[in-house]
Amino acid sequence: MHQQTEHVRKWRLYVFVAICGLMSTPATAITPEVEELIRSWSPLVWLHSEEKFLPSSVEFFLPEVTVQDNQSVIIQDYVTPENIIGGEASLTLHMQTREPLDCPSCYNLDMFFGQAIENGGVPTYTIYREYDDAFKTLDVSYFAFYPYNRGKDACVGVPINGSCAGAEKNLGNHVGDWEHNALRFRNGQPYMIHLNVHSFGAYYEWNETTKNFQFFVGEEVRSVVDPDYDDSPYEKDARYEPQYPPTVELMGTHPVVYSANGSHGLWGSPDVHTYVPGIAWTTWDNLILIPWLPSNISYEGNLNWLNFLGDWGNSAEGCEYEIVTGECELGSGPSGPRSKVDFPDPQPKTSMSN
């Protein structure tokens, strides 16, 4: 446990350390070889058989929201991918559904159910970054957007011996949900994959002999509710280690990942979370390839939406039990793709140590 924690600490530290002499090439046109690599390793995502809240395009979602500040003042009424406010001016803003919810845990809006994924009906927003390092490193993040994230039932009474004496509430819902997995390639070969589950996830290393990804290190998740439901109703500093699957397998060259029902977190197997085999989302049917840009450069045109740095969803509501559970009935929306960093920068071209 200590060794895994140290691994995670180092990886997170490296993410925020600028390495002198490193050169990336965000403006270079994508080569056929890189495009083929990105497409051939895009994930096969199994959605739960009872999944109600399907993914959608950004274009599907934005007309249904306004952009507001933290005082609920509408800053931008009619929102499109091309005109949405971005940059530092958007940091403290959030999106809010035009139609109100009937209650904080209600999902009464049709758009929450997303779009059909068959025949490439929903895009996967794929951000790639090439490095001029010793290994010709290529990082690729495959982002999926869902209009709604369904939370879980939680005890707001007294948890005793694995059951709840008193009321239960559905908590942790939120409008807007960005999920992704990321792949790192070296010299045109897979090196590592990261599966994201909201605020945590796991790294898997490629094994050339077994032709799969094998568990390397998992990230801790903070639990504000004692997972064993003992006599303490809440424990702010309680931690537990998720039971990450040992491998991520392939279909051909496509990593096979499993989306948790309602919450859409990605796992390497179906046996560690609520899951029944359901709909196969072949993401390679509709990839939107997006070159990585540094934070001081804006995307333009129909990619302008990537510049929005606020929350992709409604402000929080129904927080009266937050002191007990750590969750509101409706949490605030997530940040967008530009805030997600999965891998540390590789070493400069002069070094072979990373």
Side-chain angles (χ1 to χ4, degrees), residues 48-67:
H48 192 281
S49 61
E50 298 177 1
E51 182 63 73
K52 297 178 180 178
F53 307 103
L54 297 174
S56 81
S57 67
V58 167
E59 289 81 359
F60 175 86
F61 179 75
L62 289 184
E64 308 296 332
V65 299
T66 63
V67 175

Side-chain angles (χ1 to χ4, degrees), residues 8-205:
V8 173
R9 186 178 297 114
K10 287 180 179 179
W11 273 70
R12 288 196 176 279
L13 176 61
Y14 291 157
V15 167
F16 297 99
V17 174
I19 301 176
C20 252
L22 183 67
M23 297 295 291
S24 62
T25 55
T28 303
I30 190 169
T31 65
E33 293 78 15
V34 168
E35 181 171 351
E36 175 60 24
L37 201 62
I38 293 172
R39 293 187 182 279
S40 62
W41 287 85
S42 60
L44 170 67
V45 180
W46 279 101
L47 299 177
H48 192 281
S49 61
E50 298 177 1
E51 182 63 73
K52 297 178 180 178
F53 307 103
L54 297 174
S56 81
S57 67
V58 167
E59 289 81 359
F60 175 86
F61 179 75
L62 289 184
E64 308 296 332
V65 299
T66 63
V67 175
Q68 301 186 6
D69 65 15
N70 55 18
Q71 302 298 318
S72 300
V73 174
I74 294 178
I75 304 301
Q76 195 170 15
D77 196 354
Y78 295 98
V79 183
T80 70
E82 294 82 7
N83 74 6
I84 190 169
I85 189 171
E88 290 187 8
S90 66
L91 273 169
T92 60
L93 305 179
H94 69 275
M95 299 179 189
Q96 189 80 15
T97 54
R98 291 185 174 279
E99 298 295 326
L101 305 186
D102 289 344
C103 68
S105 61
C106 291
Y107 46 92
N108 53 287
L109 305 184
D110 289 344
M111 67 103 163
F112 285 168
F113 301 99
Q115 297 175 285
I117 63 171
E118 291 82 3
N119 302 315
V122 174
T124 298
Y125 299 98
T126 308
I127 299 177
Y128 64 93
R129 182 178 185 182
E130 298 180 73
Y131 293 88
D132 185 21
D133 68 318
F135 299 102
K136 298 180 181 177
T137 299
L138 169 68
D139 288 347
V140 186
S141 297
Y142 300 90
F143 283 95
F145 179 74
Y146 297 79
Y148 189 72
N149 177 99
R150 189 64 176 164
K152 305 296 181 187
D153 291 334
C155 180
V156 295
V158 180
I160 301 175
N161 299 325
S163 61
C164 181
E168 288 190 340
K169 282 278 190 180
N170 187 273
L171 304 176
N173 308 287
H174 53 85
V175 177
D177 186 19
W178 281 105
E179 299 292 346
H180 74 285
N181 75 279
L183 269 164
R184 168 161 282 186
F185 299 91
R186 286 179 167 181
N187 296 317
Q189 299 298 319
Y191 173 66
M192 187 168 286
I193 191 171
H194 178 256
L195 300 187
N196 181 66
V197 189
H198 292 294
S199 62
F200 59 100
Y203 292 90
Y204 294 78
E205 286 187 308

